[in-house]
Amino acid sequence: MSIQYETPLPDSYGVADSFPKDFGYGEEEGDSIDDSPSSSDSKPRILLMGLRRSGKSSIQKMSPNETLFLESTNKIYKDDISSSSFVNFQIWDFPGQVDFFDPTFDYKMIFRGTGALIFVIDAQDDYVEALSRLHLTVSRAYRVNPEINFEVFIHKVDGLSDDHKIETQRDIHQRANDDLADASLEKLHLSFYLTSIYDHSIFEAFSKVVQKLIPQLPTLENLLNIFISNSGIEKAFLFDVVSKIYIATDSSPVDMQSYELCCDMIDVVIDVSCIYGLKEDGSGSAYDKESMAIIKLNNTTVLYLKEVTKFLALVCILREESFERKGLIDYNFHCFRKAIHEVFEVGVPSSRTCNQPVNTPLIKTVALNGTPRSTV
């Protein structure tokens, strides 16, 4: 394994730290977060709901060693992650024992500003009551805000066999959709995920939830497709470094093992940088414009990480023979990085609206004989 640092490419672009304010998410607010559920927050919200002890709070932690002595949530807890992450939204964790449809709660206000509702079901427990609460929750939320993305996390599946996981997911899927059909809510779509905090399934599920809230997702996927097809790369992920959520990937199917390798690479880079990348007085950042890493595996596979913005990293999987053309890959990455900054243009005055297309930079490709040529 080798981890290297390189000088930033010329013509650096302003750091695209987070979503621009004019992309339909409203004005950013201060860091103070009111504990009252009736406070009007303009940032998109992800609601975590479910019965008590279903694992909602542990999902927020995502690290098993942080959940060993986690107490049951007894009030609505808001987590604003926009200050330390690329994605700009709030996560609201609802205690399972609270009836948020009580007249004292303004549930219409809660659902009206919600981007996604995640309902967590404990797969190791009897989920009859959970399905009843799920139906009540999503049906009322849908009537208030039909634009909500409804996600169901079938959680704690680490203790189940593969056959039991599939059967549990099939049963929950069938019962939940039957309840919606009986209530004439066929247009309400539920997405189901098998999750556990003891593997990377929770990160992958959360990645897919977050991607639905990113209006620029089709553009990002298109840019990644152009980049990998012209660089000889097999798979590429655009990661939020803090949360290890991938906000976009190319159109090829996601292999869980490849995703886990990329997540582990981010951990390695940050850990090594914290030891050797900081100044003697401890100042500096473990992840900055010079961050770059190459890890060569024993099966001729190469993992290549490059910094895109202060919060984003591009992690690529490719073969050693393709990596021999590293100069071409770095040039194409420079064009890709420029396009990403044009997509998000944070702090750069522009009259272009978010619906207008982005001019894709010229990307070089290689003919069969190895001769560089240009493509748009």
Side-chain angles (χ1 to χ4, degrees), residues 125-160:
D125 198 4
D126 183 14
Y127 45 77
V128 174
E129 183 183 355
L131 285 171
S132 176
R133 177 68 72 89
L134 168 66
H135 178 73
L136 175 65
T137 302
V138 300
S139 59
R140 292 199 181 183
Y142 181 76
R143 291 186 178 97
V144 174
N145 181 5
E147 301 301 319
I148 296 178
N149 297 317
F150 295 100
E151 322 286 350
V152 180
F153 284 9
I154 304 171
H155 198 45
K156 302 182 184 179
V157 297
D158 48 275
L160 306 180

Side-chain angles (χ1 to χ4, degrees), residues 33 60 77-82 84 89-93:
I33 301 176
Q60 274 192 275
Y77 179 77
K78 300 181 187 179
D79 186 12
D80 189 338
I81 67 170
S82 60
S84 62
F89 55 77
Q90 293 180 339
I91 297 178
W92 288 24
D93 184 1

Side-chain angles (χ1 to χ4, degrees), residues 185-202:
L185 292 172
E186 293 87 352
K187 292 183 179 180
L188 196 162
H189 176 71
L190 299 175
S191 299
F192 297 86
Y193 308 89
L194 294 172
T195 60
S196 169
I197 61 171
Y198 294 101
D199 57 28
H200 290 79
S201 60
I202 188 64

